[in-house]
Amino acid sequence: MKRTLLLPFFAIASILSFGQSQNALDFDGTDDYVSVPNASGSLTSATGISMSCWVYLTNTAPSFPNFDHIIGFRNESNFDFYMLQLSSTNIEARFRNSSGTTYDVLATNVVTTNSWQHYVMTWNGIKLKFFHNGVMVGSVTAVGSITNANVPFQIGRGDFGTTNYMLNGKVDEVTLWSKALGNAEIACLHANALNPDTADLELYFKCNEGIAAGTNTGLTVLPNSVAAGTNGTLNYFSLSGASSNWVAGITNYTTDSMEMCRGEIDSINGVFIDTAGIYEVYYSTADGCDSLVLLEVQEKDTIDLTIIVTLSVPPTFGMVSGYDSYQWLQCQGGGYQIIQGANNQDFAPSENGEYACAIENDGCRDTTDCFPVMGIGINESDQDDIVLFPNPATEIVYLEGVSSGTRVEIYSIDGRMIDHQEYKGAIDLRDLSSGNYFIKVQEHTIRLLKL
């Protein structure tokens, strides 16, 4: 059965992956930072730049040398593009071009410590702009170019001579773009999550690694969600406890759930869901923004395909009771032939062959493997040319009328071959449990009782 999840509006370019916790990174203000080497190389031919993040600032009185670098580039020479907490209320946004000329936006009253704030900084070749929680709060004319391809992108650390401005706070959902975002795109970033397949997106750090405030030693890579993009490297984080570690982040998603049958493949925009878990599903909202649903997929109760064999001649086969419907099948040429009227829990085949049972329950369907049935219609009086003795037997039986080296096959009462051997004057039964068996020699099948 195939079921398609109905999301609000129309899903576009959906990306699904096993979801991790929606975390953030906490910086201790002393030495923690993330670096992405040579990240400016993606911007040297760009006509614009943008970057954004959610940040939870905790420094209530920044001053030199304890300004808080949030994100960006800074080499104090030929390329700066950064956000810096300059005071308890203000953010400095700076662009320095390849000629060393600087342009600053001083955004006032945009800091509320100990709460999440969304900042975006853009440059379109003419204007440098700064946005707070989706609204532009400052701009300045800014011209020039970017030529240095080797400046690292850093989160939590900005280098000013021999002084390092270190961030005290948390960061989440960091992006870098090789274009200037428009007002509508910025409003979307503030209100929703982001599809990593978006054009001109160079870096996208969801910060969702690890267990929030848990022991995350060794998780020192900040994955870039952009395909083939460069990852970030964590430096000096303790990665244990409530600070200097992966911690709880922002909530920019909704949740949904669905059930699926075992073995079912569900498709959302050509991406397959084939197992239980949590998936990230991006879709387009009515206003054209990307939005994220964390979809929890649960597997319905598994249908028990155990075949219950009643040791009779011929044998009777049964399935576990309590399911909605049963249909017994004859296996033929890799397919199935429905056995008309064989719709009960139990089934007694009337001829040799291979059989299976299809079971439906709670909208799910599953089918057993094909199993062989043999020995039906045996008439031992037709087999006088080959004699098996003694029968019943305990350890050894003999065949009269069979040459040495002839292949002998031993089958259980339900038709499963459990042993085969070359006849060398006797058949060893010592490894078999007591019960009924079939001995097959050439075209002959003989029933045997092992004591």
Side-chain angles (χ1 to χ4, degrees):
M1 185 188 70
K2 178 177 179 180
R3 179 181 300 122
T4 300
L5 176 70
L6 297 178
L7 294 172
F9 312 113
F10 179 70
I12 60 168
S14 300
I15 304 297
L16 289 86
S17 61
F18 277 111
Q20 296 167 303
S21 300
Q22 300 301 299
N23 288 342
L25 259 179
D26 181 271
F27 297 74
D28 63 8
T30 301
D31 55 4
D32 297 344
Y33 74 100
V34 175
S35 60
V36 185
N38 306 317
S40 63
S42 63
L43 307 176
T44 53
S45 59
T47 58
I49 313 171
S50 300
M51 64 181 184
S52 71
C53 68
W54 283 93
V55 61
Y56 188 101
L57 297 168
T58 60
N59 190 347
T60 58
S63 61
F64 183 84
N66 294 319
F67 297 128
D68 286 36
H69 174 97
I70 303 171
I71 61 172
F73 302 87
R74 185 167 189 167
N75 73 353
E76 289 294 311
S77 174
N78 56 11
F79 185 43
D80 294 346
F81 195 79
Y82 65 77
M83 306 175 189
L84 180 77
Q85 184 189 4
L86 203 59
S87 72
S88 61
T89 58
N90 299 344
I91 297 291
E92 176 185 86
R94 172 171 292 181
F95 168 59
R96 185 193 301 266
N97 63 25
S98 58
S99 299
T101 305
T102 61
Y103 304 92
D104 295 337
V105 172
L106 181 62
T108 60
N109 300 313
V110 294
V111 175
T112 301
T113 55
N114 300 306
S115 69
W116 286 104
Q117 307 294 310
H118 190 252
Y119 297 142
V120 180
M121 182 175 169
T122 71
W123 175 68
N124 63 4
I126 300 173
K127 286 280 189 180
L128 177 67
K129 300 178 182 179
F130 189 80
F131 296 76
H132 174 229
N133 291 341
V135 178
M136 190 179 74
V137 292
S139 67
V140 65
T141 298
V143 297
S145 61
I146 304 161
T147 58
N148 189 337
N150 304 118
V151 184
F153 182 86
Q154 296 193 145
I155 307 172
R157 169 175 157 171
D159 301 330
F160 177 66
T162 59
T163 301
N164 299 324
Y165 297 146
M166 309 303 297
L167 174 65
N168 194 345
K170 296 179 280 192
V171 171
D172 202 358
E173 295 287 309
V174 178
T175 72
L176 175 69
W177 309 69
S178 55
K179 73 170 186 177
L181 296 174
N183 290 355
E185 293 171 304
I186 291 168
C188 284
L189 272 182
H190 174 243
N192 301 281
L194 175 65
N195 190 325
D197 281 349
T198 305
D200 302 309
L201 182 60
E202 306 296 339
L203 301 177
Y204 180 19
F205 298 126
K206 297 182 181 181
C207 304
N208 287 342
E209 301 305 296
I211 300 171
T215 299
N216 297 304
T217 306
L219 294 180
T220 58
V221 174
L222 181 58
N224 184 1
S225 294
V226 178
T230 304
N231 295 330
T233 300
L234 276 64
N235 298 276
Y236 305 112
F237 287 82
S238 66
L239 297 177
S240 179
S243 65
S244 189
N245 193 12
W246 305 100
V247 296
I250 63 163
T251 300
N252 63 346
Y253 58 90
T254 58
T255 60
D256 202 349
S257 63
M258 63 177 285
E259 290 185 323
M260 65 186 301
C261 302
R262 184 175 75 97
E264 178 182 2
I265 295 178
D266 222 313
S267 178
I268 300 176
N269 275 21
V271 182
F272 295 107
I273 301 175
D274 60 358
T275 187
I278 298 177
Y279 293 79
E280 295 179 348
V281 183
Y282 291 91
Y283 65 91
S284 180
T285 63
D287 54 5
C289 299
D290 294 332
S291 193
L292 172 63
V293 171
L294 292 189
L295 175 64
E296 182 179 6
V297 178
Q298 298 176 333
E299 189 175 278
K300 291 185 179 182
D301 291 340
T302 301
I303 294 175
D304 190 340
L305 298 179
T306 301
I307 301 172
I308 303 168
V309 182
T310 301
L311 296 178
S312 58
V313 181
T316 299
F317 302 90
M319 305 304 300
V320 173
S321 63
Y323 293 128
D324 294 343
S325 69
Y326 304 85
Q327 176 62 62
W328 291 91
L329 310 165
Q330 190 160 26
C331 305
Q332 295 181 345
Y336 302 107
Q337 177 69 42
I338 292 176
I339 302 173
Q340 298 297 329
N343 307 114
N344 296 322
Q345 174 188 346
D346 300 316
F347 173 64
S350 60
E351 60 181 356
N352 296 327
E354 289 194 340
Y355 296 88
C357 186
I359 302 175
E360 290 191 7
N361 192 63
D362 192 21
C364 297
R365 179 184 176 94
D366 211 345
T367 305
T368 68
D369 292 334
C370 293
F371 57 90
V373 174
M374 60 181 297
I376 296 176
I378 292 176
N379 186 348
E380 265 129 336
S381 65
D382 294 338
Q383 303 182 43
D384 292 340
D385 52 339
I386 294 180
V387 178
L388 176 76
F389 66 93
N391 189 5
T394 55
E395 296 185 352
I396 301 292
V397 294
Y398 304 93
L399 288 167
E400 183 178 293
V402 174
S403 302
S404 179
T406 301
R407 179 182 173 91
V408 176
E409 297 174 350
I410 303 175
Y411 289 83
S412 64
I413 194 69
D414 60 354
R416 294 179 294 108
M417 188 173 72
I418 58 177
D419 190 20
H420 64 83
Q421 50 189 271
E422 288 185 3
Y423 186 64
K424 296 180 180 180
I427 302 174
D428 189 351
L429 306 178
R430 285 174 292 185
D431 290 337
L432 299 181
S433 302
S434 299
N436 289 289
Y437 296 91
F438 293 111
I439 305 297
K440 184 175 182 181
V441 185
Q442 298 170 346
E443 72 275 13
H444 301 284
T445 302
I446 306 170
R447 190 180 302 118
L448 165 69
L449 176 60
K450 166 71 163 43
L451 300 177

